Amino acid sequence: MIRLKKPAEIDAMNEAGRVSAKALRKTGELVRPGISTLELNKFAENLIRMEGGIPAFLGYGGFTGSICSSINDQIVHGIPSSDAILQEGDIISIDTGAIVGGWVGDNAATFAVGAISPDAQRLLDVTEESLWAGIEALQVGGTLGDIGAAIQEVAEAADFGVVREYVGHGIGRAMHESPSVPNFGTRGKGPKLKAGLVIAIEPMINAGDYATKGPFEDRWTVFTADGSLSAHFEHTVALTSEGIVILTKE
Ligand code: MG
C-alpha cells in the first residue's frame, strides 16, 4: 500500500533530506585519487551525526557502511573499504542516507576521480539528465510509468542500458516503502500519481548492457554483467498539490 504523506509530514522530511544532501555534497568534494572509500565513509558518518542525523544505511540488512560506494563497473551497494583506493580516471557512485526525527532521506550521485574519459563523462551527464527527466514526469494525474518512461528514453537515446533489477522506492519513516519506482516503463501505465507521494527516484545506467551480476562473496556489491561503467543519481522527491519538492537539497 502506498502511504501518502500529509503536508506537515513532507515538511518534517525536509531535514532528513537536507542532511542527506549535505553528506553527499561534502563527501563528493573529498573524492580524489588516493583516498579510500572507508575514509569517505568515516567523513560522511561524522557529518551526518554532527548534523543531528543517524546514518540510514548503517546496519540496514547487516550493511556495515554509512554510505554505499560503488566504483566503475560496480552499479550500487559497494561496501566502503580501506582496500578500495580511488584511482585517477575512476568514477565513483556515492549513496548517502540520513534519518532525522524518524524520517529518512536518500540521495546519490556519481563523481569523477580526477580527469575521466569523455565516454565516462557522457555517462555521468546522461544519467543525471535522466534523473531530472524522471523528476519532471512526477505530476498529479500522471502515472508511475510516466517516470520510468522518461528516464528510459533519455538513457536509451544515448545507447546506454537501464538497470532493471534495482529500482527507486517510496520513502518515509522507512527507507524502502511502496511503491517500487522502475527506471523503465510505459507512459500511462501503473499507479496514478497523487499529492502526498514521496519517492526516491534513482536511475542506475550502464554504459553497456543493462544486465547485472552479483552480489558475490560480500553479499552486497552489484556489478554490470559486461564490465562496463555504471552511474547512479538519486533524489528524494515529494509530490504536492502545488508541484514537486526536492527534499534532498540544502
Ligand atoms: Mg534509494
Side-chain angles (χ1 to χ4, degrees):
M1 194 194 78
I2 298 173
R3 198 189 160 285
L4 299 174
K5 276 77 181 175
K6 298 182 180 76
E9 293 177 314
I10 292 171
D11 282 350
M13 290 187 72
N14 261 306
E15 184 62 5
R18 185 192 67 79
V19 174
S20 302
K22 185 169 183 179
L24 181 61
R25 178 178 63 81
K26 299 286 275 185
T27 305
E29 286 172 7
L30 288 187
V31 167
R32 56 176 166 77
I35 197 166
S36 75
T37 56
L38 189 64
E39 288 173 89
L40 296 176
N41 181 76
K42 283 181 183 158
F43 175 84
E45 176 165 354
N46 277 332
L47 187 149
I48 289 168
R49 293 193 191 283
M50 292 279 288
E51 295 284 335
I54 298 165
F57 305 161
L58 185 62
Y60 187 94
F63 194 76
T64 53
S66 290
I67 65 171
C68 297
S69 51
S70 309
I71 302 170
N72 293 336
D73 64 328
Q74 299 176 348
I75 300 171
V76 282
H77 305 163
I79 304 172
S81 164
S82 57
D83 295 331
I85 314 258
L86 301 183
Q87 312 283 329
E88 178 92 17
D90 285 346
I91 60 172
I92 177 171
S93 300
I94 297 175
D95 199 333
T96 64
I99 305 167
V100 182
W103 297 100
V104 187
D106 187 8
N107 63 2
T110 303
F111 299 92
V113 183
I116 62 173
S117 71
D119 283 350
Q121 187 62 54
R122 193 170 73 91
L123 176 66
L124 269 51
D125 292 344
V126 168
T127 305
E128 187 169 15
E129 186 190 337
S130 77
L131 168 61
W132 287 107
I135 290 170
E136 279 166 25
L138 182 59
Q139 291 185 19
V140 173
T143 72
L144 207 61
D146 298 349
I147 298 171
I151 292 168
Q152 184 175 15
E153 280 167 15
V154 171
E156 292 185 349
D159 256 337
F160 293 145
V162 178
V163 170
R164 303 295 202 270
E165 287 99 324
Y166 300 87
V167 296
H169 48 92
I171 183 167
R173 291 200 177 272
M175 183 157 63
H176 295 119
E177 297 185 354
S178 188
S180 290
V181 183
N183 299 302
F184 54 95
T186 306
R187 281 203 169 72
K189 301 273 189 198
K192 281 248 190 273
L193 305 174
K194 295 177 184 167
L197 182 70
V198 183
I199 54 177
I201 302 178
E202 51 175 320
M204 289 150 263
I205 306 296
N206 298 345
D209 190 79
Y210 65 75
T212 70
K213 65 181 179 186
F216 299 111
E217 310 84 64
D218 76 7
R219 298 193 308 112
W220 284 100
T221 314
V222 181
F223 300 82
T224 60
D226 61 8
S228 64
L229 296 176
S230 187
H232 179 209
F233 284 81
E234 175 181 32
H235 271 303
T236 298
V237 188
L239 180 59
T240 76
S241 53
E242 274 120 66
I244 296 162
V245 180
I246 309 285
L247 293 171
T248 38
K249 69 168 195 312
E250 293 178 70

